[in-house]
Amino acid sequence: MKITFLGTGTSQGIPIIGSKHPVCLSNNKKDKRLRVSVLVEWNGFTCVVDCGPDFRYQMLRSGCEKIDAIVFTHEHSDHVMGFDDIRPFYFRQGDIPIYAHQRVLDSLKQRFDYVFKTENRYPGAAAVTVNEIENKPFSLGGLEVVPVNGTHGGLQVFGFRFKDFAYLTDMKRVEAVEIEKIKNVKILVVNTLRIEPHHSHFNLEEALAFIEKVNPEKAYLTHISHLLGFHDEVEKTLPENVFLAYDELELNL
């Protein structure tokens, strides 16, 4: 299994437009973060988790030439607003399979109604195969994918376990029964917005406490804002098995 971090930033990305914050002005490539997304590949199967506003560039930068599935964590704009840019894949492959909670599917149908039309379709629109997911395992490319239910403020959000890789973003609360699903994975990815507490995201202290509960071999922090600090400085302060993810980082399992 190959994991590619397409983006590791929060909803505004880093640098933020017009910001003079030192992290936004950094020349370190690892401090420049597109909106959060990850590419997971196994046995020739290609899955993207979330499809945010940087999706087009992320696909070009990664060299991704096909998508077998798009899996959505939730419907916030930084996770779905690249949806129209699936068109090149559709033109080559046909209908693109998508997997999401019914609430997320309803949101996509409102925002991108032309994708879901069955009559009088615009000729240049993409089309998708819709798969509703609930909080129970589902099959994807011959692999059992396990949803991990959490809350993002007051909003339900899914993380996902792919074999020994677990990917959770935009989490603030995860119940013990859900943590059991990912105990002792080899690689855990979890959101870590900043140092100070936040109403709907783990801050650094909360993320590290969550990692201790899961007890992975290695953990990577993502969905990072400029307020977490400089990549190289923050990483020096982390436990030995915890790392900051960065755009274009590739891992293999």
Side-chain angles (χ1 to χ4, degrees), residues 23-40:
V23 174
C24 291
L25 299 177
S26 171
N27 290 320
N28 185 347
K29 183 180 178 181
K30 293 180 180 179
D31 285 323
K32 300 182 186 303
R33 303 181 185 276
L34 300 180
R35 267 62 72 92
V36 69
S37 179
V38 69
L39 177 68
V40 189

Side-chain angles (χ1 to χ4, degrees), residues 22-250:
V23 174
C24 291
L25 299 177
S26 171
N27 290 320
N28 185 347
K29 183 180 178 181
K30 293 180 180 179
D31 285 323
K32 300 182 186 303
R33 303 181 185 276
L34 300 180
R35 267 62 72 92
V36 69
S37 179
V38 69
L39 177 68
V40 189
E41 301 171 85
W42 65 91
N43 299 331
F45 192 90
T46 303
C47 173
V48 175
V49 181
D50 289 332
C51 183
D54 298 315
F55 177 76
R56 174 183 173 275
Y57 180 59
Q58 289 168 339
M59 292 296 95
L60 291 169
R61 185 170 69 173
S62 67
C64 183
E65 296 181 351
K66 77 178 180 76
I67 289 181
D68 296 304
I70 303 173
V71 179
F72 289 97
T73 60
H74 65 298
E75 67 270 35
H76 282 170
S77 292
D78 54 324
H79 296 259
V80 304
M81 289 309 290
F83 192 48
D84 185 73
D85 286 323
I86 67 173
R87 287 184 298 156
F89 296 103
Y90 165 71
F91 295 150
R92 290 196 300 270
Q93 301 174 214
D95 293 14
I96 305 299
I98 65 170
Y99 295 76
H101 188 286
Q102 186 60 56
R103 186 197 69 248
V104 178
L105 294 171
D106 290 342
S107 177
L108 290 172
K109 289 174 183 178
Q110 286 185 330
R111 291 173 164 182
F112 303 94
D113 61 314
Y114 54 90
V115 172
F116 297 88
K117 279 188 175 180
T118 56
E119 297 181 359
N120 300 318
R121 288 178 49 81
Y122 178 69
V128 295
T129 302
V130 174
N131 299 273
E132 178 188 351
I133 57 176
E134 300 174 344
N135 192 17
K136 57 185 180 182
F138 61 97
S139 180
L140 201 60
L143 186 73
E144 182 183 74
V145 179
V146 180
V148 181
N149 201 46
T151 55
H152 172 40
L155 184 71
Q156 179 275 340
V157 60
F158 277 140
F160 300 99
R161 177 173 181 167
F162 304 82
K163 293 182 70 174
D164 278 324
F165 169 62
Y167 181 81
L168 282 70
T169 185
D170 289 53
M171 295 287 183
K172 180 64 176 180
R173 184 177 179 84
V174 184
E175 298 293 342
V177 66
E178 300 296 316
I179 294 174
E180 285 297 320
K181 297 177 180 179
I182 56 174
K183 275 283 185 73
N184 304 314
V185 293
K186 290 183 178 178
I187 296 178
L188 169 68
V189 177
V190 64
N191 60 294
T192 310
L193 188 70
R194 63 190 191 189
I195 303 296
E196 294 297 317
H198 188 270
H199 71 279
S200 63
H201 283 280
F202 285 154
N203 69 349
L204 179 58
E205 181 181 5
E206 292 166 331
L208 293 177
F210 181 77
I211 290 167
E212 283 194 15
K213 292 177 183 178
V214 175
N215 191 36
E217 287 185 11
K218 292 182 178 180
Y220 290 83
L221 310 182
T222 194
H223 206 293
I224 293 164
S225 83
H226 62 298
L227 298 175
L228 188 62
F230 292 103
H231 181 282
D232 291 349
E233 292 182 5
V234 174
E235 187 150 88
K236 291 175 184 176
T237 71
L238 300 176
E240 63 179 4
N241 68 327
V242 181
F243 309 89
L244 288 188
Y246 55 88
D247 290 20
E248 300 185 273
L249 171 63
E250 295 181 358

